[in-house]
Amino acid sequence: MWRRLAALVRKELLVFLQDPRARIVVLAPPVIQLFVFAYAATFDVRHVPLAVLDRDRTGLSRAFIARLEGAPDFRLVRASAEAELRRLIDRQRVVGAVVIREGFARELLAGRPAPVQLLLDGRGSNTAQAVATYLRRIAADFRPLETEAERPRAPPLAVRAWFNPNLESVAFVVPALVAMITMVAVMGVTGLAIARERELGTMDQLMVTPLRPLELALGKLLPGVLLGLVEGALVVAVAILWFEIPLRGPLLTLALALLVFAVAVAGVGLMISALVRTQQQAMVALFFFIAPAAILSGFATPIDNMPDWLQQVTLINPLRYMITVVRGVFLRGLGLEELAGEIWPMALIGLITLTLAALVFRRHVT
Amino acid sequence: MSASWRRLRALLRKEWLQILRDPSSFAIAFLLPVLLLVIIGFGVSLDPRTLRVAVVVPTPSAASDELIAALKGSPWFQVEVARARQPAEARLARGELHAVLALDGEFAGRLAAGTAHIQLLLDGVDANTARLTEGYLRGVVALWAARQGWQPAPLQIETRMWFNTAAESRDFLIPGLTAVVLTLTGALLTAMVVARAWERGTMEGLFASPARRLEIFLGAFLPYLLMGFAASALVAAAAVWVFQVPLRGSLPFLALAALLYVTIMAGWGLAVSAATRHQFLAAQIVLYSSLLPSFMLSGFLFDIASMPAWLQALTLLVPARWYVSLQQTLFLAGDVAALLLRDLAVLALMALALALLAYRGFRKRLD
């Protein structure tokens, strides 16, 4: 059995690497995804344009503006009138505006809270909220006058972000790409495997070989899993070497989880492949699985933010567990013990998808 | 170069039947827009619902009790109180908490001496949620400090969010979602169906018929234009009635923007299918040249202002960028003349260029 299986796997890999279409599906996406996602998928606020209008025009107001200027979060755009602010925000030239009201210095000197207005563009409410947080942080540390307080001062917040001290999206996005790219590769190969033979008419030839149905199914499954694992490993390497994301947990846990995950999604791919008639249909079917799986995985936005019914739906999504594992190992340094709770659901999903794939395979292929 | 209405009608009917006949084009035309609308509409949100926060209070005091009460009074937080720091930190490390707010043992005493501080530990894995958590917690702590009658912070920041008072991410995501959906019905569907006609040689059959070049072109172009337009109306209706996003701009502008964007997408789909004459390849190229950019480089979800400069420059070439900007402005801000003119002008230019490019592909000759 092993000899026959090995021969089939070898044939599959060879066919695959020689077919230009298949190469496009499997080799172009990881590179494009890795670099576009890693650089574009950002919620960070870095040098965002922020307008500032100084209506106080005192040394103290200028000191506050200097403080804003020093922050890496903003790029300041000076405005000279209220109407100009409106125009800048309307046309999305700036994400918001800081207005230092008249009497800023007077109130500060009197020990009363000095008025500052922050106008934000709600068309990008997430960026706007990040700007507000950073401005509050700067304002909290702005104490230009050391006055003797007659009342106790509010205790300052000492903020520390664990695992990602500078709160960079790249640390959130790149590890998750290990799971995403593995999934696309595994499904790309297994999803097209049988459809291609059908389209080319070579399926009948395979049927008359001494291969048993189980061997045939395994032979269609393994090349995808193998290629997926290779691509996953490459992304891990790029994450560490190029994006400089530290790998804090055990690599072995990551490898084990990735194997379980690859087999689970290979089951889905094989099922699709056995059901469709052409490669074109296979691609559309793959899209119907991959797009929802990616959106409902916590890859870009947290699952916690979804309505409850949709959170329940994500429980059947293998990508959801794999993304938790890969972020856990990379950033949190967690090991097998802590992540077992994420790995067994993937194993269970894999068992179900493989069983279904076997049933579909027997019915539609052999 | 005149078009006969009868011949064109026959061609339109042919194209329509072709979309309905093939299960994959049917799925992309009718099922995918609805699926994406539901999944992205409900599934993609940047607004935290409940943030799990532990407050570590080794020695309770009146001040710390009031801090806990202030946190519990906020709709954002699910608060748990702990005496010891260790277990709370362990849960933060496993990702079970969003934040730990830690007071030290002599908090009350240090407060009187003016040396007290509060430590805020955030789970930084999800940087965006961490930042929002910090923002909300700062708000609650400031409120608490004011209630205690402590010396106020030196600056009083009064924040106003224009166009989206409640700061709901859904309000800016849903209008932009149209761009993603239209890319699918516009470009992917066109590329697949028309490339199939090239691949199977049915396009040659059309060339041999009395149908003129313009008629063949319109026959392959108009159905997708109409379907894309219908899909954009569906998303706009869902935005207003299902997701309750306000629509402050005027409908004619909204319709014009959709028309231009669908023209661009369908034009691109036709150009790619004429260039490749291969349905599989055409679909792949469209997937990576329009669907991925419409999601990642359009400002639909990720803010362009925060991307690296080279990527920002690249987004200028992405039609979805201009369309998403129009959608967000039309829905939330209204008819901002300067912005509308700029975005519509860019889209009109792109639409013209792509329609011409697509038309070029329909030369009545065989290479």
Side-chain angles (χ1 to χ4, degrees), chain A residues 185-200:
Chain A
V186 171
M187 296 200 71
V189 178
T190 51
L192 298 175
I194 299 166
R196 185 179 52 239
E197 305 259 8
R198 277 220 180 108
E199 210 174 297
L200 299 174

Side-chain angles (χ1 to χ4, degrees), chain A residues 21 24-25 29 32-33 36-37 39-49 64 85-86 89-93 95 101 104 108 112-130 132-137 139-140 142-143 147 149 151-164 167-169 172 184 192 277 279-281 283-284 287-288 291-292 295-296 300-302 304-311 327 331-332 334 338, chain B residues 22-24 27-28 31-32 35-36 38-40 42-49 52 85 89 92-95 98 101 107 111 116-132 134-138 141 144-145 149-164 167-170 172 184 192 278-281 283-284 287-288 291-292 295-297 301-303 305-308 310-311 325 328-329 332-333 336 338-339 342:
Chain A
R21 300 190 205 184
I24 291 181
V25 181
I32 300 175
Q33 278 182 40
V36 172
F37 278 57
Y39 287 107
T42 173
F43 294 117
D44 300 347
V45 172
R46 202 93 358 110
H47 306 296
V48 295
F64 182 60
L85 290 184
R86 172 108 226 174
I89 294 180
D90 270 354
R91 297 183 185 184
Q92 296 181 313
R93 294 279 159 77
V95 299
R101 293 271 181 81
F104 178 85
L108 262 183
R112 287 193 296 265
V116 175
Q117 194 181 33
L118 177 62
L119 304 172
L120 294 165
D121 182 353
R123 281 172 289 180
S125 63
N126 191 64
T127 303
Q129 279 177 293
T133 300
Y134 284 139
L135 190 77
R136 285 211 187 94
R137 218 190 247 182
F142 181 69
R143 288 174 194 281
T147 47
R151 288 184 284 173
R153 192 174 276 159
L157 274 184
V159 184
R160 212 147 56 89
W162 280 10
F163 313 122
N164 185 4
L167 291 181
E168 290 167 341
S169 288
F172 180 65
V184 174
L192 298 175
R277 275 177 301 149
Q279 294 188 67
Q280 183 70 27
Q281 288 177 7
M283 209 194 67
V284 174
F287 191 81
F288 265 82
I295 291 162
L296 301 179
T301 57
D304 275 345
N305 296 1
M306 296 174 192
D308 291 326
W309 63 271
L310 206 54
Q311 290 196 26
R327 282 183 185 143
L331 302 172
R332 299 182 197 278
L334 299 181
E338 296 96 338
Chain B
D22 181 35
S24 41
I28 293 182
L31 302 181
L32 210 50
L35 180 78
L36 283 183
V38 171
I39 283 185
I40 302 182
F42 288 106
V44 177
S45 163
L46 293 167
D47 310 323
R49 297 171 68 212
R52 292 177 295 275
R85 218 175 139 125
E89 286 191 352
L92 183 73
R94 284 199 299 271
H98 289 99
L101 213 50
F107 183 72
L111 200 58
H117 69 273
I118 301 174
Q119 210 169 35
L120 168 59
L121 303 175
L122 296 165
D123 177 3
V125 170
D126 178 353
N128 193 56
T129 303
R131 222 170 356 245
L132 292 171
E134 184 191 328
Y136 298 151
L137 279 172
R138 277 188 188 278
V141 169
W144 166 62
W150 291 330
Q151 187 188 332
L155 301 187
Q156 185 191 17
I157 298 178
E158 173 212 329
T159 306
R160 272 208 316 196
M161 185 87 74
W162 281 0
F163 313 130
N164 184 358
E168 297 251 19
S169 68
R170 180 162 292 169
F172 75 86
L184 282 172
M192 272 179 47
H278 190 303
Q279 47 172 335
F280 193 80
L281 204 59
Q284 284 293 319
L287 223 49
Y288 283 98
L291 187 67
L292 199 66
F295 203 96
M296 306 295 299
L297 303 176
L301 179 59
F302 304 109
D303 201 338
S306 299
M307 292 178 192
W310 61 270
L311 206 55
S325 150
Q328 290 174 345
T329 299
L332 300 177
V336 181
L339 198 79
R342 185 198 71 187

